[in-house]
Amino acid sequence: MSVENWDEFRTAFQVAKMGTVSGAAQELGVHHATVIRHIDSLEQRLGVKLFQRHARGYTPTEAGMDLLKVAQTTDDQLSQLVSRIKGRGEEVAGELVVTSLPGMGALLVPVLSEFQLEHPGLNVRYLTGERLFRLEYGEAHVAIRAGRPPQEPDNVVQPFHRQAYALYVHKAYVERYGLPQATGEALAQELRFVSLDDPNSRAPFMVWINEHVPADRLAFRTSDIEVMTEAIYAGAGAGFLPTWQAQQRDDLVEVLPTSPDWDSQNWIVTHVDLHRTPKVQAFLTFLKARAKEWPCSRVG
């Protein structure tokens, strides 16, 4: 037989344990009439008397004693489950899902790896892509997003790493085409460019490209920012790179220095329901501390 109403079984368990309707009602925080109604309904459904009623209270029948034993075991198991769940919420363990744009992988992977080493019970899932993962549906615990501040009402948004960009060419490009004599924005008329294939992109450097670079100077376009980076490294044209990334190589030539107009502001986004959990708070504290050590970064 399936349990149609767990409240009735819970009430019967408390009556059997306490021995009185009033005691069970107090323990459950309900009116004594509710206790009586639950007992009567359960006995009717089961077709058997669970209690002998008398002046001193309720005494379980043989069937009532069977119910008491099963209910006691169930109650103990539920109590253990609640303790495990609470403990799980207080420790840094289980799954941690973090998302970002693909270009931040080189910065975030060492942080995630080190955080996992400090918390051996943690399993990390790092998801990258242009798609906005829906925190309200539990798709991620923490999202690192770029551009304008996210506006979802149930999310907690904090300013984070501000990424500086400059314009670079590979030495192979210089060998093939040389460097123009022009400076500043006039370079846009003379260089061959590598860019994203998205005229509506809100990336600050793409706004500059769309405003200043003629279409016939866009030598290589792609929808993937990692492919764009590889095209710059291959000498296909001049392109914008994060300064921390470019400074790790010795085969790039800076053509235009950083400009605040090209900076990309990143944001830490968490859902309000998970923001205060120990696991998320521990990771955010760790992430912000490590981000201060990142090269050429400003942490909001």
Side-chain angles (χ1 to χ4, degrees), residues 130-169:
E130 299 290 335
R131 179 171 78 86
L132 291 182
F133 290 85
R134 302 178 70 177
L135 305 187
E136 68 272 22
Y137 286 99
E139 290 187 342
H141 295 91
V142 179
I144 311 298
R145 296 180 181 171
R148 297 174 183 173
Q151 299 296 319
E152 296 88 347
D154 292 332
N155 289 341
V156 179
V157 179
Q158 303 175 70
F160 183 47
H161 168 69
R162 191 174 180 89
Q163 193 161 258
Y165 281 79
L167 183 66
Y168 297 91
V169 293

mmCIF file of all heavy atoms in Angstrom, residues 130-169:
data_model
loop_
_atom_site.group_PDB
_atom_site.id
_atom_site.type_symbol
_atom_site.label_atom_id
_atom_site.label_comp_id
_atom_site.label_asym_id
_atom_site.label_seq_id
_atom_site.Cartn_x
_atom_site.Cartn_y
_atom_site.Cartn_z
ATOM 1 N N GLU A 130 29.819 31.173 -25.061
ATOM 2 C CA GLU A 130 29.155 32.461 -25.195
ATOM 3 C C GLU A 130 27.773 32.461 -24.529
ATOM 4 O O GLU A 130 27.240 33.512 -24.195
ATOM 5 C CB GLU A 130 28.999 32.814 -26.682
ATOM 6 C CG GLU A 130 30.309 32.932 -27.443
ATOM 7 C CD GLU A 130 31.109 34.159 -27.045
ATOM 8 O OE1 GLU A 130 30.493 35.140 -26.566
ATOM 9 O OE2 GLU A 130 32.339 34.132 -27.212
ATOM 10 N N ARG A 131 27.195 31.272 -24.344
ATOM 11 C CA ARG A 131 25.852 31.186 -23.773
ATOM 12 C C ARG A 131 25.840 31.653 -22.327
ATOM 13 O O ARG A 131 26.765 31.372 -21.564
ATOM 14 C CB ARG A 131 25.364 29.732 -23.835
ATOM 15 C CG ARG A 131 23.984 29.519 -23.249
ATOM 16 C CD ARG A 131 23.487 28.116 -23.531
ATOM 17 N NE ARG A 131 24.061 27.124 -22.655
ATOM 18 C CZ ARG A 131 23.561 26.818 -21.461
ATOM 19 N NH1 ARG A 131 22.499 27.451 -20.983
ATOM 20 N NH2 ARG A 131 24.120 25.877 -20.727
ATOM 21 N N LEU A 132 24.768 32.356 -21.947
ATOM 22 C CA LEU A 132 24.594 32.761 -20.557
ATOM 23 C C LEU A 132 23.937 31.613 -19.798
ATOM 24 O O LEU A 132 22.770 31.296 -20.023
ATOM 25 C CB LEU A 132 23.721 34.018 -20.458
ATOM 26 C CG LEU A 132 24.325 35.321 -20.981
ATOM 27 C CD1 LEU A 132 23.340 36.466 -20.768
ATOM 28 C CD2 LEU A 132 25.642 35.629 -20.290
ATOM 29 N N PHE A 133 24.687 30.999 -18.914
ATOM 30 C CA PHE A 133 24.141 29.906 -18.130
ATOM 31 C C PHE A 133 23.130 30.469 -17.123
ATOM 32 O O PHE A 133 23.367 31.503 -16.498
ATOM 33 C CB PHE A 133 25.263 29.157 -17.411
ATOM 34 C CG PHE A 133 26.142 28.372 -18.347
ATOM 35 C CD1 PHE A 133 27.212 28.978 -18.991
ATOM 36 C CD2 PHE A 133 25.875 27.038 -18.599
ATOM 37 C CE1 PHE A 133 28.012 28.270 -19.864
ATOM 38 C CE2 PHE A 133 26.677 26.320 -19.475
ATOM 39 C CZ PHE A 133 27.743 26.930 -20.109
ATOM 40 N N ARG A 134 22.029 29.776 -16.947
ATOM 41 C CA ARG A 134 20.909 30.265 -16.142
ATOM 42 C C ARG A 134 21.093 29.843 -14.683
ATOM 43 O O ARG A 134 20.819 28.700 -14.307
ATOM 44 C CB ARG A 134 19.593 29.748 -16.723
ATOM 45 C CG ARG A 134 19.406 30.172 -18.179
ATOM 46 C CD ARG A 134 18.126 29.635 -18.786
ATOM 47 N NE ARG A 134 16.954 30.281 -18.218
ATOM 48 C CZ ARG A 134 15.708 30.033 -18.612
ATOM 49 N NH1 ARG A 134 15.484 29.143 -19.569
ATOM 50 N NH2 ARG A 134 14.690 30.650 -18.056
ATOM 51 N N LEU A 135 21.560 30.779 -13.897
ATOM 52 C CA LEU A 135 21.840 30.488 -12.496
ATOM 53 C C LEU A 135 20.562 30.163 -11.730
ATOM 54 O O LEU A 135 20.586 29.386 -10.775
ATOM 55 C CB LEU A 135 22.558 31.673 -11.846
ATOM 56 C CG LEU A 135 23.847 32.154 -12.537
ATOM 57 C CD1 LEU A 135 24.521 33.220 -11.690
ATOM 58 C CD2 LEU A 135 24.796 30.993 -12.780
ATOM 59 N N GLU A 136 19.451 30.761 -12.143
ATOM 60 C CA GLU A 136 18.192 30.519 -11.435
ATOM 61 C C GLU A 136 17.702 29.087 -11.605
ATOM 62 O O GLU A 136 16.854 28.620 -10.829
ATOM 63 C CB GLU A 136 17.115 31.504 -11.897
ATOM 64 C CG GLU A 136 16.641 31.329 -13.324
ATOM 65 C CD GLU A 136 17.476 32.104 -14.337
ATOM 66 O OE1 GLU A 136 18.644 32.437 -14.014
ATOM 67 O OE2 GLU A 136 16.970 32.359 -15.447
ATOM 68 N N TYR A 137 18.246 28.373 -12.595
ATOM 69 C CA TYR A 137 17.892 26.976 -12.804
ATOM 70 C C TYR A 137 19.006 26.041 -12.320
ATOM 71 O O TYR A 137 18.994 24.856 -12.630
ATOM 72 C CB TYR A 137 17.586 26.707 -14.274
ATOM 73 C CG TYR A 137 16.257 27.268 -14.711
ATOM 74 C CD1 TYR A 137 16.187 28.485 -15.386
ATOM 75 C CD2 TYR A 137 15.062 26.613 -14.431
ATOM 76 C CE1 TYR A 137 14.959 29.018 -15.773
ATOM 77 C CE2 TYR A 137 13.834 27.135 -14.820
ATOM 78 C CZ TYR A 137 13.792 28.335 -15.484
ATOM 79 O OH TYR A 137 12.579 28.864 -15.864
ATOM 80 N N GLY A 138 19.951 26.596 -11.578
ATOM 81 C CA GLY A 138 21.005 25.779 -11.009
ATOM 82 C C GLY A 138 22.046 25.306 -11.993
ATOM 83 O O GLY A 138 22.743 24.320 -11.736
ATOM 84 N N GLU A 139 22.186 25.996 -13.144
ATOM 85 C CA GLU A 139 23.168 25.559 -14.135
ATOM 86 C C GLU A 139 24.605 25.851 -13.693
ATOM 87 O O GLU A 139 25.545 25.253 -14.230
ATOM 88 C CB GLU A 139 22.891 26.234 -15.481
ATOM 89 C CG GLU A 139 21.627 25.732 -16.150
ATOM 90 C CD GLU A 139 21.439 26.279 -17.557
ATOM 91 O OE1 GLU A 139 22.072 27.289 -17.902
ATOM 92 O OE2 GLU A 139 20.650 25.688 -18.297
ATOM 93 N N ALA A 140 24.783 26.754 -12.757
ATOM 94 C CA ALA A 140 26.126 27.066 -12.252
ATOM 95 C C ALA A 140 26.005 27.714 -10.881
ATOM 96 O O ALA A 140 24.980 28.321 -10.547
ATOM 97 C CB ALA A 140 26.875 27.983 -13.210
ATOM 98 N N HIS A 141 27.075 27.569 -10.084
ATOM 99 C CA HIS A 141 27.147 28.264 -8.801
ATOM 100 C C HIS A 141 27.674 29.683 -8.976
ATOM 101 O O HIS A 141 27.191 30.617 -8.338
ATOM 102 C CB HIS A 141 28.080 27.510 -7.842
ATOM 103 C CG HIS A 141 27.595 26.150 -7.446
ATOM 104 N ND1 HIS A 141 27.926 25.004 -8.137
ATOM 105 C CD2 HIS A 141 26.792 25.757 -6.424
ATOM 106 C CE1 HIS A 141 27.361 23.968 -7.556
ATOM 107 N NE2 HIS A 141 26.663 24.387 -6.526
ATOM 108 N N VAL A 142 28.696 29.822 -9.829
ATOM 109 C CA VAL A 142 29.365 31.112 -10.026
ATOM 110 C C VAL A 142 29.576 31.326 -11.526
ATOM 111 O O VAL A 142 30.037 30.422 -12.231
ATOM 112 C CB VAL A 142 30.731 31.161 -9.307
ATOM 113 C CG1 VAL A 142 31.423 32.499 -9.554
ATOM 114 C CG2 VAL A 142 30.564 30.916 -7.814
ATOM 115 N N ALA A 143 29.233 32.527 -12.002
ATOM 116 C CA ALA A 143 29.469 32.881 -13.398
ATOM 117 C C ALA A 143 30.360 34.117 -13.454
ATOM 118 O O ALA A 143 30.153 35.065 -12.690
ATOM 119 C CB ALA A 143 28.151 33.153 -14.117
ATOM 120 N N ILE A 144 31.350 34.083 -14.336
ATOM 121 C CA ILE A 144 32.185 35.261 -14.603
ATOM 122 C C ILE A 144 31.738 35.790 -15.958
ATOM 123 O O ILE A 144 31.901 35.123 -16.976
ATOM 124 C CB ILE A 144 33.685 34.920 -14.637
ATOM 125 C CG1 ILE A 144 34.085 34.099 -13.409
ATOM 126 C CG2 ILE A 144 34.507 36.200 -14.748
ATOM 127 C CD1 ILE A 144 33.885 34.816 -12.096
ATOM 128 N N ARG A 145 31.169 36.990 -15.958
ATOM 129 C CA ARG A 145 30.623 37.563 -17.193
ATOM 130 C C ARG A 145 31.302 38.887 -17.508
ATOM 131 O O ARG A 145 31.767 39.590 -16.611
ATOM 132 C CB ARG A 145 29.112 37.753 -17.067
ATOM 133 C CG ARG A 145 28.367 36.436 -16.900
ATOM 134 C CD ARG A 145 26.877 36.639 -16.781
ATOM 135 N NE ARG A 145 26.167 35.374 -16.589
ATOM 136 C CZ ARG A 145 24.885 35.273 -16.286
ATOM 137 N NH1 ARG A 145 24.153 36.381 -16.136
ATOM 138 N NH2 ARG A 145 24.315 34.094 -16.122
ATOM 139 N N ALA A 146 31.320 39.197 -18.794
ATOM 140 C CA ALA A 146 31.986 40.413 -19.261
ATOM 141 C C ALA A 146 30.966 41.377 -19.833
ATOM 142 O O ALA A 146 29.853 40.996 -20.199
ATOM 143 C CB ALA A 146 33.032 40.064 -20.316
ATOM 144 N N GLY A 147 31.369 42.655 -19.910
ATOM 145 C CA GLY A 147 30.513 43.660 -20.522
ATOM 146 C C GLY A 147 29.744 44.472 -19.500
ATOM 147 O O GLY A 147 30.245 44.777 -18.420
ATOM 148 N N ARG A 148 28.513 44.788 -19.846
ATOM 149 C CA ARG A 148 27.684 45.591 -18.955
ATOM 150 C C ARG A 148 27.238 44.751 -17.758
ATOM 151 O O ARG A 148 27.148 43.524 -17.848
ATOM 152 C CB ARG A 148 26.466 46.106 -19.711
ATOM 153 C CG ARG A 148 26.830 47.045 -20.865
ATOM 154 C CD ARG A 148 25.598 47.415 -21.671
ATOM 155 N NE ARG A 148 25.941 48.263 -22.812
ATOM 156 C CZ ARG A 148 25.084 48.617 -23.753
ATOM 157 N NH1 ARG A 148 23.821 48.186 -23.694
ATOM 158 N NH2 ARG A 148 25.475 49.374 -24.757
ATOM 159 N N PRO A 149 26.915 45.393 -16.628
ATOM 160 C CA PRO A 149 26.494 44.636 -15.445
ATOM 161 C C PRO A 149 25.249 43.799 -15.738
ATOM 162 O O PRO A 149 24.282 44.315 -16.295
ATOM 163 C CB PRO A 149 26.184 45.728 -14.405
ATOM 164 C CG PRO A 149 26.910 46.941 -14.888
ATOM 165 C CD PRO A 149 26.957 46.842 -16.373
ATOM 166 N N PRO A 150 25.267 42.512 -15.402
ATOM 167 C CA PRO A 150 24.070 41.686 -15.593
ATOM 168 C C PRO A 150 22.892 42.253 -14.813
ATOM 169 O O PRO A 150 23.064 42.790 -13.714
ATOM 170 C CB PRO A 150 24.505 40.321 -15.047
ATOM 171 C CG PRO A 150 25.997 40.322 -15.184
ATOM 172 C CD PRO A 150 26.411 41.742 -14.920
ATOM 173 N N GLN A 151 21.696 42.121 -15.362
ATOM 174 C CA GLN A 151 20.518 42.782 -14.794
ATOM 175 C C GLN A 151 19.484 41.814 -14.207
ATOM 176 O O GLN A 151 18.438 42.264 -13.759
ATOM 177 C CB GLN A 151 19.840 43.628 -15.881
ATOM 178 C CG GLN A 151 20.721 44.730 -16.452
ATOM 179 C CD GLN A 151 21.093 45.772 -15.392
ATOM 180 O OE1 GLN A 151 20.271 46.162 -14.573
ATOM 181 N NE2 GLN A 151 22.352 46.190 -15.404
ATOM 182 N N GLU A 152 19.731 40.511 -14.206
ATOM 183 C CA GLU A 152 18.747 39.578 -13.681
ATOM 184 C C GLU A 152 18.446 39.899 -12.217
ATOM 185 O O GLU A 152 19.362 40.027 -11.403
ATOM 186 C CB GLU A 152 19.238 38.132 -13.803
ATOM 187 C CG GLU A 152 19.439 37.643 -15.221
ATOM 188 C CD GLU A 152 20.819 37.938 -15.781
ATOM 189 O OE1 GLU A 152 21.537 38.732 -15.156
ATOM 190 O OE2 GLU A 152 21.166 37.401 -16.828
ATOM 191 N N PRO A 153 17.182 39.998 -11.851
ATOM 192 C CA PRO A 153 16.811 40.491 -10.512
ATOM 193 C C PRO A 153 17.212 39.575 -9.366
ATOM 194 O O PRO A 153 17.429 40.050 -8.250
ATOM 195 C CB PRO A 153 15.276 40.624 -10.595
ATOM 196 C CG PRO A 153 14.867 39.697 -11.692
ATOM 197 C CD PRO A 153 15.992 39.717 -12.690
ATOM 198 N N ASP A 154 17.309 38.265 -9.605
ATOM 199 C CA ASP A 154 17.610 37.328 -8.517
ATOM 200 C C ASP A 154 19.089 37.000 -8.398
ATOM 201 O O ASP A 154 19.455 36.085 -7.660
ATOM 202 C CB ASP A 154 16.813 36.028 -8.716
ATOM 203 C CG ASP A 154 15.322 36.245 -8.534
ATOM 204 O OD1 ASP A 154 14.954 37.160 -7.777
ATOM 205 O OD2 ASP A 154 14.540 35.508 -9.160
ATOM 206 N N ASN A 155 19.940 37.731 -9.113
ATOM 207 C CA ASN A 155 21.373 37.479 -9.063
ATOM 208 C C ASN A 155 22.096 38.538 -8.248
ATOM 209 O O ASN A 155 21.694 39.698 -8.212
ATOM 210 C CB ASN A 155 21.969 37.444 -10.474
ATOM 211 C CG ASN A 155 21.555 36.202 -11.246
ATOM 212 O OD1 ASN A 155 21.121 35.210 -10.649
ATOM 213 N ND2 ASN A 155 21.690 36.239 -12.556
ATOM 214 N N VAL A 156 23.169 38.106 -7.592
ATOM 215 C CA VAL A 156 24.067 39.017 -6.890
ATOM 216 C C VAL A 156 25.239 39.307 -7.827
ATOM 217 O O VAL A 156 25.929 38.379 -8.263
ATOM 218 C CB VAL A 156 24.576 38.398 -5.568
ATOM 219 C CG1 VAL A 156 25.537 39.353 -4.863
ATOM 220 C CG2 VAL A 156 23.404 38.043 -4.656
ATOM 221 N N VAL A 157 25.459 40.567 -8.148
ATOM 222 C CA VAL A 157 26.476 40.962 -9.130
ATOM 223 C C VAL A 157 27.553 41.794 -8.442
ATOM 224 O O VAL A 157 27.249 42.782 -7.770
ATOM 225 C CB VAL A 157 25.843 41.782 -10.279
ATOM 226 C CG1 VAL A 157 26.910 42.209 -11.277
ATOM 227 C CG2 VAL A 157 24.747 40.963 -10.977
ATOM 228 N N GLN A 158 28.814 41.388 -8.608
ATOM 229 C CA GLN A 158 29.943 42.111 -8.009
ATOM 230 C C GLN A 158 30.975 42.447 -9.086
ATOM 231 O O GLN A 158 31.304 41.587 -9.908
ATOM 232 C CB GLN A 158 30.613 41.246 -6.934
ATOM 233 C CG GLN A 158 29.694 40.781 -5.828
ATOM 234 C CD GLN A 158 30.395 39.831 -4.884
ATOM 235 O OE1 GLN A 158 31.275 40.212 -4.118
ATOM 236 N NE2 GLN A 158 30.023 38.556 -4.935
ATOM 237 N N PRO A 159 31.497 43.660 -9.100
ATOM 238 C CA PRO A 159 32.567 43.987 -10.055
ATOM 239 C C PRO A 159 33.799 43.152 -9.769
ATOM 240 O O PRO A 159 34.134 42.884 -8.612
ATOM 241 C CB PRO A 159 32.821 45.476 -9.803
ATOM 242 C CG PRO A 159 32.300 45.740 -8.435
ATOM 243 C CD PRO A 159 31.161 44.794 -8.225
ATOM 244 N N PHE A 160 34.466 42.724 -10.836
ATOM 245 C CA PHE A 160 35.603 41.814 -10.668
ATOM 246 C C PHE A 160 36.784 42.313 -11.486
ATOM 247 O O PHE A 160 37.043 43.505 -11.567
ATOM 248 C CB PHE A 160 35.149 40.397 -11.065
ATOM 249 C CG PHE A 160 36.174 39.329 -10.881
ATOM 250 C CD1 PHE A 160 36.907 39.224 -9.704
ATOM 251 C CD2 PHE A 160 36.417 38.402 -11.886
ATOM 252 C CE1 PHE A 160 37.856 38.229 -9.533
ATOM 253 C CE2 PHE A 160 37.350 37.403 -11.734
ATOM 254 C CZ PHE A 160 38.064 37.315 -10.554
ATOM 255 N N HIS A 161 37.453 41.430 -12.125
ATOM 256 C CA HIS A 161 38.670 41.695 -12.884
ATOM 257 C C HIS A 161 38.388 42.581 -14.101
ATOM 258 O O HIS A 161 37.458 42.327 -14.864
ATOM 259 C CB HIS A 161 39.233 40.345 -13.328
ATOM 260 C CG HIS A 161 40.320 40.385 -14.336
ATOM 261 N ND1 HIS A 161 41.570 40.866 -14.069
ATOM 262 C CD2 HIS A 161 40.345 39.972 -15.624
ATOM 263 C CE1 HIS A 161 42.317 40.750 -15.145
ATOM 264 N NE2 HIS A 161 41.608 40.214 -16.105
ATOM 265 N N ARG A 162 39.164 43.635 -14.244
ATOM 266 C CA ARG A 162 39.064 44.506 -15.414
ATOM 267 C C ARG A 162 40.246 44.196 -16.318
ATOM 268 O O ARG A 162 41.402 44.398 -15.943
ATOM 269 C CB ARG A 162 39.059 45.975 -14.991
ATOM 270 C CG ARG A 162 38.698 46.928 -16.117
ATOM 271 C CD ARG A 162 38.558 48.345 -15.604
ATOM 272 N NE ARG A 162 38.221 49.273 -16.667
ATOM 273 C CZ ARG A 162 36.989 49.572 -17.053
ATOM 274 N NH1 ARG A 162 35.962 49.011 -16.427
ATOM 275 N NH2 ARG A 162 36.751 50.415 -18.033
ATOM 276 N N GLN A 163 39.961 43.703 -17.513
ATOM 277 C CA GLN A 163 40.990 43.185 -18.403
ATOM 278 C C GLN A 163 41.397 44.237 -19.435
ATOM 279 O O GLN A 163 40.553 44.748 -20.171
ATOM 280 C CB GLN A 163 40.447 41.941 -19.100
ATOM 281 C CG GLN A 163 41.468 41.107 -19.814
ATOM 282 C CD GLN A 163 40.955 39.702 -20.060
ATOM 283 O OE1 GLN A 163 41.307 38.761 -19.370
ATOM 284 N NE2 GLN A 163 40.106 39.532 -21.065
ATOM 285 N N ALA A 164 42.687 44.566 -19.450
ATOM 286 C CA ALA A 164 43.210 45.569 -20.383
ATOM 287 C C ALA A 164 43.596 44.906 -21.704
ATOM 288 O O ALA A 164 44.136 43.794 -21.736
ATOM 289 C CB ALA A 164 44.426 46.268 -19.774
ATOM 290 N N TYR A 165 43.317 45.612 -22.803
ATOM 291 C CA TYR A 165 43.645 45.129 -24.146
ATOM 292 C C TYR A 165 44.560 46.129 -24.843
ATOM 293 O O TYR A 165 44.470 47.342 -24.613
ATOM 294 C CB TYR A 165 42.384 44.961 -25.000
ATOM 295 C CG TYR A 165 41.599 43.707 -24.727
ATOM 296 C CD1 TYR A 165 40.749 43.621 -23.626
ATOM 297 C CD2 TYR A 165 41.707 42.603 -25.571
ATOM 298 C CE1 TYR A 165 40.023 42.468 -23.379
ATOM 299 C CE2 TYR A 165 40.974 41.449 -25.336
ATOM 300 C CZ TYR A 165 40.132 41.390 -24.236
ATOM 301 O OH TYR A 165 39.414 40.247 -23.993
ATOM 302 N N ALA A 166 45.429 45.590 -25.711
ATOM 303 C CA ALA A 166 46.241 46.420 -26.597
ATOM 304 C C ALA A 166 46.240 45.761 -27.978
ATOM 305 O O ALA A 166 45.817 44.614 -28.137
ATOM 306 C CB ALA A 166 47.667 46.562 -26.069
ATOM 307 N N LEU A 167 46.716 46.516 -28.968
ATOM 308 C CA LEU A 167 46.732 46.013 -30.344
ATOM 309 C C LEU A 167 48.124 45.458 -30.652
ATOM 310 O O LEU A 167 49.136 46.142 -30.455
ATOM 311 C CB LEU A 167 46.380 47.136 -31.321
ATOM 312 C CG LEU A 167 46.277 46.749 -32.802
ATOM 313 C CD1 LEU A 167 45.099 45.798 -33.021
ATOM 314 C CD2 LEU A 167 46.115 48.004 -33.668
ATOM 315 N N TYR A 168 48.181 44.218 -31.168
ATOM 316 C CA TYR A 168 49.453 43.536 -31.409
ATOM 317 C C TYR A 168 49.495 42.958 -32.825
ATOM 318 O O TYR A 168 48.453 42.670 -33.430
ATOM 319 C CB TYR A 168 49.643 42.374 -30.418
ATOM 320 C CG TYR A 168 49.716 42.788 -28.978
ATOM 321 C CD1 TYR A 168 48.560 42.849 -28.196
ATOM 322 C CD2 TYR A 168 50.931 43.107 -28.382
ATOM 323 C CE1 TYR A 168 48.614 43.210 -26.863
ATOM 324 C CE2 TYR A 168 50.997 43.475 -27.040
ATOM 325 C CZ TYR A 168 49.832 43.532 -26.294
ATOM 326 O OH TYR A 168 49.889 43.905 -24.973
ATOM 327 N N VAL A 169 50.735 42.770 -33.310
ATOM 328 C CA VAL A 169 50.968 41.954 -34.499
ATOM 329 C C VAL A 169 52.071 40.960 -34.163
ATOM 330 O O VAL A 169 52.904 41.196 -33.284
ATOM 331 C CB VAL A 169 51.395 42.787 -35.733
ATOM 332 C CG1 VAL A 169 50.257 43.679 -36.188
ATOM 333 C CG2 VAL A 169 52.657 43.595 -35.446
#
